[in-house]
């Protein structure tokens, strides 16, 4: 997979490219997707992907920002009225009817395994192979997402509406391993540093987190939260010094940003 940016003279930046490193036998599976049927209609999908190298290119990003800027004649009041027109009335449901809807609800079992991709932000916002510059590297970590399967129960016992509402959620287990942030100077072997657990170049040492995400099956019932999230970060380690902070600020200010339109007048906003 390759994404090319805006040509700048003789340079065509490769903003996204696949990392073709030697993988283990288990990692060789790139993409597998299938659909099966059970007693209750169920979709099943497994997705595995190699890592991607993503390089920030300021010229391309600025062009994209200008391209997607909305026209000036679109008013916030019009957008707010359109959003309000989509609001749905709330329908009260008994515990029995809600349980019946849960039993008939189709759900998707997901198994996602995305190997660690990383983003490179070079000094000045331009990456060239012929001139090495300092760079900020964000490792996005190894992402895994799995569905916590709902077990069907024969002969439901009589439950309160609160107990039934507690089961009206699709549950996903999300884990993210080895997220890290590094400030690399010109000439340093950042690929070797990326494999270390700690180094003077690390701003954020590799961390892992686990998240339990619950999404409500019914969007039109205000009694239930649309989404519930529980997370755990076992360890968070930051290395920040005044010198490192100055280097990050210098890199950030070296990147040209898109030209923004003047802020909207106060009359454009809706209370």
């Amino acid at each position: 997979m390759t994404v090319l940016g805006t040509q700048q003279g003789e340079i065509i930046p490769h903003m996204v490219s696949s990392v073709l490193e030697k993988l283990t036998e288990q990692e060789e599976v790139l993409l597998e997707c299938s659909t099966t049927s059970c007693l209750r209609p169920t979709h099943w999908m497994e997705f595995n992907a190699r890592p991607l190298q993503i390089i920030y290119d300021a010229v391309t990003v600025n062009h994209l920002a200008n391209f997607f800027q909305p026209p000036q004649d679109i008013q916030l009041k019009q957008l707010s009225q359109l959003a309000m027109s989509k609001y749905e009335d709330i329908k009260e449901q008994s515990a029995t009817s809600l349980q019946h809807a849960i039993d008939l609800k189709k759900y998707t079992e997901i198994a996602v395994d995305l190997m660690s991709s990383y983003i490179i932000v070079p000094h000045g916002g331009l990456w060239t192979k012929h001139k090495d510059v300092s760079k900020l590297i964000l490792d996005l970590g190894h992402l895994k997402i799995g569905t916590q399967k709902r077990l069907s129960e024969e002969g439901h016992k009589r439950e309160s509406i609160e107990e039934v509402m507690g089961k009206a959620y699709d549950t996903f287990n999300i884990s993210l391993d080895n997220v890290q942030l590094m400030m690399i100077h010109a000439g340093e072997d950042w690929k070797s540093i990326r494999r270390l657990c700690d180094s003077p170049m690390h701003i954020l040492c590799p961390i892992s987190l686990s998240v339990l995400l619950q999404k409500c099956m019914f969007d039109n019932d205000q009694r239930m939260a649309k989404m519930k999230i529980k997370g755990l970060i076992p360890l968070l380690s930051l290395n920040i010094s005044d010198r490192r902070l100055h280097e990050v600020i210098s890199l950030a200010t070296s990147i040209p940003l898109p030209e923004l339109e003047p802020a909207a007048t106060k009359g454009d906003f809706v209370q």
Side-chain angles (χ1 to χ4, degrees):
M1 178 180 176
T2 303
V3 177
L4 303 179
T6 303
Q7 182 169 354
Q8 301 156 49
E10 298 181 354
I11 300 174
I12 301 179
H14 284 63
M15 297 186 65
V16 179
S17 56
S18 299
V19 180
L20 302 178
E21 297 177 348
K22 184 175 179 60
L23 305 177
T24 64
E25 184 176 346
Q26 184 180 3
E27 295 170 339
E28 283 295 333
V29 179
L30 290 182
L31 179 64
E32 183 178 351
C33 182
S34 63
T35 303
T36 58
S37 295
C38 303
L39 295 178
R40 183 171 61 218
T42 304
H43 298 288
W44 176 79
M45 183 184 72
E46 180 177 349
F47 181 77
N48 303 279
R50 292 178 185 266
L52 295 174
Q53 175 179 276
I54 305 170
I55 301 177
Y56 184 93
D57 182 73
V59 175
T60 306
V61 172
N62 293 348
H63 284 325
L64 285 172
N66 294 331
F67 179 81
F68 286 106
Q69 192 170 31
Q72 294 182 356
D73 57 352
I74 294 181
Q75 300 297 320
L76 293 177
K77 184 177 180 180
Q78 296 172 344
L79 295 176
S80 300
Q81 290 174 346
L82 178 62
M84 289 298 295
S85 66
K86 299 297 183 181
Y87 185 80
E88 296 183 2
D89 295 333
I90 301 172
K91 300 178 180 179
E92 292 291 336
Q93 299 185 64
S94 66
T96 304
S97 61
L98 186 60
Q99 180 66 62
H100 180 68
I102 293 173
D103 292 340
L104 296 180
K105 183 74 174 180
K106 294 182 179 180
Y107 66 93
T108 302
E109 291 187 20
I110 300 175
V112 175
D113 189 342
L114 303 182
M115 298 173 61
S116 298
S117 297
Y118 52 90
I119 300 174
I120 301 176
V121 183
H123 190 279
L126 178 63
W127 173 279
T128 61
K129 295 181 178 180
H130 308 291
K131 182 181 179 181
D132 193 12
V133 295
S134 61
K135 57 194 77 70
L136 195 67
I137 297 181
L138 172 61
D139 197 323
L140 300 178
H142 189 174
L143 175 64
K144 292 184 179 180
I145 303 176
T147 307
Q148 187 171 310
K149 188 175 181 180
R150 299 197 310 270
L151 300 177
S152 59
E153 300 178 5
E154 298 294 337
H156 295 289
K157 64 178 182 180
R158 189 173 183 82
E159 296 177 311
S160 65
I161 184 66
E162 290 78 12
E163 291 174 325
V164 177
M165 288 168 57
K167 300 189 299 183
Y169 288 86
D170 290 320
T171 304
F172 304 92
N173 295 309
I174 304 172
S175 66
L176 190 59
D177 297 322
N178 291 326
V179 179
Q180 54 185 321
L181 180 64
M182 297 162 287
M183 182 67 200
I184 306 297
H185 299 149
E188 292 178 337
D189 186 4
W190 61 270
K191 292 185 178 180
S192 298
I193 297 172
R194 182 169 170 252
R195 300 187 183 98
L196 301 176
C197 296
D198 191 8
S199 74
M201 279 65 72
H202 276 83
I203 298 177
L204 174 65
C205 296
I207 65 170
S208 299
L209 62 95
S210 58
V211 175
L212 181 67
L213 174 64
Q214 293 179 297
K215 183 180 180 301
C216 186
M217 304 176 193
F218 309 102
D219 295 331
N220 59 346
D221 196 326
Q222 278 194 341
R223 296 171 298 174
M224 294 180 285
K226 290 187 176 181
M227 196 168 294
K228 298 180 182 180
I229 299 177
K230 296 180 181 179
L232 174 64
I233 302 178
L235 179 65
L236 179 62
S237 178
L238 296 172
N239 295 330
I240 301 176
S241 64
D242 53 351
R243 179 181 177 183
R244 187 68 51 83
L245 186 59
H246 288 154
E247 292 173 349
V248 173
I249 294 175
S250 175
L251 186 146
T253 55
S254 72
I255 299 175
L257 300 176
E259 297 181 2
L260 300 177
E261 293 293 330
T265 60
K266 191 173 182 180
D268 293 337
F269 292 87
V270 180
Q271 187 69 23

